[in-house]
Amino acid sequence: GGGAGDQAVRAGPGRGGSRAGGDGRRADGGAVFLQGWAGGYPEIVKENELFERYYRELGIVPAGEWDAFMAALREPLPATLRITGYRSHAKEILHCLKEKYFKELQDLEVDGQKVEMPQALSWYPEELAWHTNLSRKILRKSPQLEKFHQFLVSETECGNISRQEAVSMIPPLLLNVSPHHKILDMCAAPGSKTAQLIEMLHADMNVPFPKGFVIANDVDNKRCYLLVHQAKRLNSPCIMVVNHDASSIPNLQIDVDGKKEILFYDRILCDVPCSTDGTMRKNIDVWKKWTTQNSLQLHGLQLRIATRGVEQLAEGGRMVYSTCSLNPIENEAVIASLLEKSQGALELADVSSELPGLKRMPGITKWKVMLKDGQWFEEWKDVPSNRQTQIRPTMFPLKDEEKLKAMNLERCLRILPHHQNTGGFFVAVLIKKSPMPWNKRQPKVHQKLPQRTGDTEVSTTNSDNGSDCITEEPILSENEESKKMQGLQNSDTEQSKKEGVCGPPPSKKMKLFGFKEDPFVFLPEDDPLFLPIEKFYALDPSFPKMNLLTRTQEGKKRQLYMVSKELRNVLLNNSEKMKVINTGIKVWSRNSDGEQFGCAFRLAQEGIYTLYPFIHARIINVCIEDVKILLTQENPFLSKFSSETQKKVKDMAMGSVVLKYDPDPEKPDDLQCPIVLCGWQGKTSLRAFVPKNERLHYLRMMGVEVFKAKRKEEELENKTEEHKLAQTEEGMDMEDKEHDLVTKMEAEIGEESSQSPVESSAMEIENKTEDSDQSSKNATTHISKGTDTSNVKD
């Protein structure tokens, strides 16, 4: 489960891949948002006779619409973006987009042609998703468009905007997530759907620790780091990234009142690897590579992943199964097989009233199976024995009409490209009514937990014990084939790769690759490290200090991270069976200079919204003019600030501070959302410790112009400066390793340079004074680099 859903494995440069017809997108948000089709590669002929014959025969397109369907598939896909929904300033970003950038584009003409305005997706709530047909060619010819593009890129790097295909936004919306839900994302990388799920957990920004969490899994170790990179932009203490084969992801245990119980999830997103023929508008390589073989090879894996999903779903829970394929072998056949072997434990939910405005087709109930040579089979008994490893009984529709009718397969959603100018997509929403029949005798383990002393360490070894012995293994309905299919999985996958199919890499490779993860060590109750922190920031007695962790067992603790108590529970009880890649957000960083002022740890910007509700000291309320000074000047003197701010600072000891801006409702033209920044108060100055893109974001929201055309010399200087900083860093922590890996992947995957996309004339953040080692790190490792991930799903 790794190459799933809305994005396919794409052909690399020179093979008609992303530059020839894709969107030149980058996974971490340094995206080229505005797709274009001009490139130096031979034009791929958008014809495939077998594809047309197959889908015409299956009748997936309504009568009279075939030509419109094919014409839509040959058109480039509009670029779509989503405004992050959980931040209080989502409305501010939307306001900024509509009132500033869209207004500038309104009457814009390029080469005598009127620029097409971006449109809101009619079915996405609160106008938080938009699509645009602007191409890269037009981009280069207009400063207003370049400004708009840089706004999008920069906001994406801050995590305020996500570049995501429209149809990919549907599965998380149909999961109906609440902040208390425990969620599993089975095939998550690189994480745009995961990001949506995290946003839903944080629907109320006044709750720093929602009770729910997201465990995001991917089979591919490399892609897990792209997933971390995406999720980190959202600064949530409720996300954990793990690395397992989704079809055998282990059962986890949690401590419930001193007893160990199996963790069942309230919501599961099962966006499986698929043949990706719904992505032809973007991934044009599919035109020449499409064959029915891809679907036949992936069906077994898809069914195993979906089966593993429903086993781990709580009763009353909801699982969304999705693919970016139009093929019933990967869609209705998988769902029908799952429903049949569930013997009534599962049912398809009727979601016809959800997402009003989304045009959809019902699931189909009749289909046939075709080999790549064009040979058709209507039922299993017609399949000759020499074809029975390629074609399986579960690929055919049920013969029993009553059973078939009771399944309500028409409740599945099929999204066709010509209906709303999107990609092709399939979604099914399953509700679990009772335990799966093969898990009915499932034993519950009620063992008292051992008492822990000292440092509570969670190692991250992967014991490869598959599904663990606590529940019975799933008994697949096609028992006679399950072992054979397990053996075939790797060869299937290799073949799939050759065919341009997105499937997981062979498991052997996965095990050989990757860092040996640092341990997660929770701070013990009596750790002397915490007392000065607690005192310095006057932390509330309710502060959950047992949720603090570090990534080191020996030596100085340089960073303190934080997870929610529910994720702490998961980490502590599953260290032997779970390969954790990353979890927690950084809340404090060691700053040796701080010791003389009473605290060796300064606040970290990425964790400030989580920490702020618990801090009762060292808070400086600032006005909007103060915020502008803090964000545009590197180390401004106190005399530059308002008299109120100067008064507050006068009686405060030097060191780390919280800078808080509260909007004034009586000044509606000012920024109307609260801002919390980390700062440092020196002897004669006050500064903000905020990553560059976040600075640009806040300045834009306040109406300060931060656009400046890129200059080669500046980019070179920045790269040299960053290189120096990297060399002076002592002992890299986990975060640096991830950043390095992502950068390395960019070099391997992308053909475009990964320069910082926005240069601001307002400031140069060089961080030469107090706490320079940490602040430099903050300003460099957290400014996401662009990467063209032409082989990664959205």
Side-chain angles (χ1 to χ4, degrees):
D6 46 301
Q7 298 300 333
V9 166
R10 299 195 201 347
R15 291 191 291 139
S18 76
R19 291 292 286 278
D23 51 12
R25 189 175 6 78
R26 301 168 178 165
D28 65 342
V32 175
F33 271 91
L34 309 140
Q35 46 78 38
W37 287 66
Y41 301 106
E43 184 63 36
I44 284 180
V45 180
K46 294 174 191 167
E47 299 284 346
N48 187 309
E49 192 201 331
L50 194 68
F51 174 88
E52 292 205 38
R53 178 147 51 104
Y54 183 70
Y55 283 123
R56 262 188 198 274
E57 179 71 24
L58 291 181
I60 64 157
V61 177
E65 294 183 24
W66 181 261
D67 290 345
F69 166 73
M70 289 305 295
L73 281 179
R74 293 186 176 106
E75 283 296 309
L77 190 70
T80 39
L81 60 101
R82 188 172 55 74
I83 298 168
T84 300
Y86 76 88
R87 302 241 171 127
S88 52
H89 48 241
K91 286 191 176 72
E92 295 290 329
I93 295 169
L94 183 59
H95 179 78
C96 189
L97 262 178
K98 287 163 80 172
E99 297 306 309
K100 182 180 186 324
Y101 293 97
F102 291 172
K103 274 192 175 161
E104 284 181 7
L105 303 182
Q106 215 155 17
D107 302 308
L108 191 63
E109 285 195 8
V110 177
D111 292 346
Q113 240 185 330
K114 198 170 183 306
V115 168
E116 201 176 317
M117 287 295 292
Q119 300 293 316
L121 297 181
S122 61
W123 47 268
Y124 200 95
E126 299 178 56
E127 283 194 320
L128 290 177
W130 294 73
H131 73 133
T132 167
N133 281 314
L134 298 167
S135 75
R136 213 178 287 156
K137 197 174 171 188
I138 292 175
L139 249 189
R140 286 194 283 265
K141 295 186 175 181
S142 158
Q144 282 95 331
L145 280 176
E146 198 183 340
K147 220 184 268 193
F148 174 48
H149 186 224
Q150 288 196 6
F151 165 78
L152 295 177
V153 168
S154 183
E155 290 298 318
T156 300
E157 290 180 346
C158 295
N160 298 320
I161 282 177
S162 278
R163 160 68 175 88
Q164 186 177 358
E165 195 178 329
V167 288
S168 153
M169 301 173 192
I170 298 168
L173 290 175
L174 289 177
L175 266 180
N176 284 2
V177 169
S178 293
H180 64 277
H181 283 149
K182 301 175 186 71
I183 307 163
L184 173 65
D185 189 348
M186 298 186 81
C187 313
S192 52
K193 294 186 188 75
T194 314
Q196 256 178 294
L197 298 172
I198 297 169
E199 290 165 32
M200 291 167 182
L201 284 183
H202 291 275
D204 182 355
M205 279 301 282
N206 296 317
V207 179
F209 294 103
K211 285 204 166 75
F213 54 76
V214 177
I215 292 179
N217 174 68
D218 204 84
V219 70
D220 185 326
N221 185 281
K222 266 190 179 185
R223 286 159 58 91
C224 281
Y225 288 90
L226 290 173
L227 186 53
V228 169
H229 204 55
Q230 277 274 50
K232 265 193 171 176
R233 300 178 311 144
L234 298 174
N235 297 333
S236 168
C238 307
I239 166 82
M240 180 189 289
V241 174
V242 298
N243 179 199
H244 291 275
D245 175 351
S247 64
S248 59
I249 193 166
N251 283 317
L252 302 183
Q253 296 175 350
I254 47 173
D255 171 15
V256 180
D257 301 324
K259 293 175 180 174
K260 280 200 177 188
E261 291 192 0
I262 296 162
L263 168 61
F264 288 101
Y265 299 94
D266 303 299
R267 297 288 185 266
I268 294 180
L269 180 56
C270 184
D271 183 48
V272 294
C274 71
S275 65
T276 72
D277 59 20
T279 70
M280 284 174 142
R281 300 182 64 177
K282 177 181 59 190
N283 179 21
I284 59 171
D285 223 34
V286 177
W287 281 98
K288 63 177 184 187
K289 294 197 169 184
W290 189 90
T291 157
T292 55
Q293 194 67 14
N294 300 343
S295 296
L296 301 179
Q297 286 171 338
L298 284 163
H299 169 89
L301 175 64
Q302 291 162 337
L303 183 52
R304 286 199 301 280
I305 293 173
T307 302
R308 190 68 194 119
V310 295
E311 283 176 345
Q312 298 199 317
L313 192 61
E315 285 177 54
R318 186 178 261 225
M319 181 172 99
V320 169
Y321 174 91
S322 61
T323 75
C324 53
S325 167
L326 299 168
N327 202 321
I329 306 301
E330 302 174 65
N331 297 333
E332 285 90 348
V334 172
I335 296 300
S337 179
L338 196 57
L339 288 169
E340 187 188 15
K341 66 179 177 181
S342 83
Q343 296 172 23
L346 298 173
E347 77 170 18
L348 274 168
D350 179 1
V351 291
S352 54
S353 61
E354 295 180 39
L355 304 186
L358 177 66
K359 290 181 185 161
R360 61 199 89 182
M361 295 295 298
I364 60 176
T365 53
K366 292 273 178 275
W367 61 89
K368 298 184 285 184
V369 179
M370 184 168 87
L371 287 173
K372 65 178 176 185
D373 61 8
Q375 194 180 352
W376 288 98
F377 297 100
E378 302 240 1
E379 47 188 312
W380 168 245
K381 66 178 175 61
D382 302 334
V383 180
S385 57
N386 66 337
R387 295 291 190 193
Q388 288 185 3
T389 51
Q390 276 177 295
I391 297 177
R392 302 302 306 149
T394 52
M395 294 175 183
F396 293 90
L398 257 74
K399 282 278 162 250
D400 186 326
E401 289 294 329
E402 263 182 52
K403 262 191 184 179
L404 188 64
K405 198 177 173 192
M407 284 183 177
N408 297 310
L409 286 178
E410 70 286 347
R411 288 180 177 176
C412 299
L413 275 70
R414 288 183 151 268
I415 310 293
L416 297 179
H418 63 295
H419 283 164
Q420 268 170 315
N421 198 7
T422 63
F425 211 66
F426 174 87
V427 190
V429 182
L430 293 154
I431 306 285
K432 187 170 180 178
K433 313 292 281 183
S434 59
M436 303 311 288
W438 56 90
N439 287 144
K440 285 231 167 102
R441 294 183 310 284
Q442 168 182 313
K444 281 206 170 172
V445 174
H446 287 300
Q447 60 192 67
K448 278 284 177 189
L449 296 171
Q451 291 300 307
R452 299 178 180 272
T453 54
D455 266 24
T456 318
E457 184 212 325
V458 182
S459 70
T460 54
T461 52
N462 181 9
S463 61
D464 283 327
N465 59 353
S467 290
D468 197 63
C469 58
I470 293 167
T471 56
E472 298 164 39
E473 279 294 298
I475 300 159
L476 295 179
S477 58
E478 57 274 41
N479 260 334
E480 77 284 358
E481 69 148 345
S482 61
K483 281 183 187 168
K484 196 186 288 176
M485 286 305 287
Q486 289 286 350
L488 283 171
Q489 184 182 343
N490 284 357
S491 59
D492 278 2
T493 307
E494 280 304 308
Q495 185 60 29
S496 308
K497 277 172 148 179
K498 287 175 198 161
E499 307 267 345
V501 179
C502 64
S507 55
K508 278 180 189 164
K509 271 189 187 167
M510 184 196 85
K511 285 170 200 165
L512 290 173
F513 182 82
F515 297 118
K516 184 179 186 307
E517 299 298 333
D518 292 335
F520 293 85
V521 186
F522 283 92
L523 233 57
E525 288 283 312
D526 53 353
D527 195 313
L529 193 78
F530 184 70
L531 282 170
I533 295 175
E534 188 175 37
K535 192 175 160 194
F536 192 71
Y537 297 103
L539 294 178
D540 196 89
S542 68
F543 179 75
K545 63 179 178 184
M546 80 262 286
N547 299 350
L548 287 172
L549 58 88
T550 62
R551 300 295 306 265
T552 175
Q553 281 170 285
E554 290 132 28
K556 261 189 176 180
K557 297 176 171 73
R558 293 179 67 244
Q559 318 284 356
L560 294 180
Y561 300 88
M562 195 156 195
V563 291
S564 64
K565 81 167 194 289
E566 287 76 13
L567 269 191
R568 177 183 191 270
N569 192 342
V570 173
L571 267 171
L572 288 177
N573 289 297
N574 300 282
S575 61
E576 293 309 309
K577 67 179 71 161
M578 201 169 55
K579 187 174 178 192
V580 180
I581 299 296
N582 194 277
T583 191
I585 48 166
K586 193 201 295 182
V587 283
W588 279 290
S589 284
R590 183 179 286 279
N591 165 39
S592 304
D593 291 349
E595 282 179 32
Q596 58 190 300
F597 312 123
C599 183
F601 284 85
R602 69 165 182 83
L603 298 160
Q605 182 65 28
E606 53 261 57
I608 195 62
Y609 285 94
T610 301
L611 271 189
Y612 175 73
F614 301 102
I615 296 174
H616 294 308
R618 307 200 59 76
I619 297 169
I620 301 170
N621 289 91
V622 288
C623 65
I624 197 153
E625 292 310 318
D626 289 342
V627 178
K628 286 177 188 173
I629 291 166
L630 285 162
L631 296 176
T632 55
Q633 297 183 29
E634 198 218 323
N635 203 18
F637 287 113
L638 290 173
S639 56
K640 292 190 176 180
F641 293 96
S642 65
S643 52
E644 288 89 343
T645 299
Q646 290 184 49
K647 268 182 221 157
K648 283 172 201 148
V649 170
K650 200 162 63 98
D651 303 321
M652 207 178 272
M654 286 167 67
S656 189
V657 291
V658 177
L659 301 156
K660 176 80 195 300
Y661 163 75
D662 284 305
D664 184 348
E666 289 176 23
K667 295 181 182 171
D669 291 341
D670 280 358
L671 185 66
Q672 286 301 301
C673 66
I675 295 178
V676 185
L677 305 174
C678 289
W680 183 270
Q681 184 198 326
K683 256 182 206 156
T684 56
S685 62
L686 185 64
R687 66 186 307 187
F689 276 138
V690 182
K692 184 173 179 181
N693 276 312
E694 243 176 280
R695 289 182 179 235
L696 297 178
H697 159 72
Y698 290 128
L699 288 168
R700 271 192 211 96
M701 295 302 106
M702 292 184 290
V704 177
E705 185 59 73
V706 291
F707 172 78
K708 186 183 178 186
K710 286 197 282 185
R711 290 203 189 114
K712 286 268 164 26
E713 300 90 319
E714 285 177 349
E715 288 169 357
L716 195 64
E717 271 172 38
N718 286 347
K719 289 197 92 171
T720 313
E721 188 63 29
E722 283 176 25
H723 182 63
K724 279 181 197 163
L725 287 166
Q727 286 181 324
T728 56
E729 273 296 330
E730 299 168 35
M732 285 169 66
D733 69 357
M734 194 55 218
E735 191 174 316
D736 300 315
K737 289 183 191 172
E738 285 153 13
H739 187 269
D740 278 5
L741 181 69
V742 171
T743 312
K744 184 167 175 263
M745 288 181 70
E746 290 160 8
E748 287 172 8
I749 293 166
E751 67 269 21
E752 294 186 2
S753 67
S754 58
Q755 303 293 357
S756 178
V758 179
E759 297 301 332
S760 163
S761 55
M763 75 203 78
E764 287 298 327
I765 309 168
E766 288 171 6
N767 302 317
K768 287 174 182 164
T769 53
E770 302 131 3
D771 195 14
S772 64
D773 60 332
Q774 293 299 337
S775 63
S776 306
K777 185 172 173 188
N778 210 15
T780 52
T781 58
H782 287 279
I783 296 174
S784 313
K785 297 279 202 299
T787 169
D788 179 359
T789 56
S790 39
N791 67 340
V792 180
K793 71 166 179 166
D794 204 2

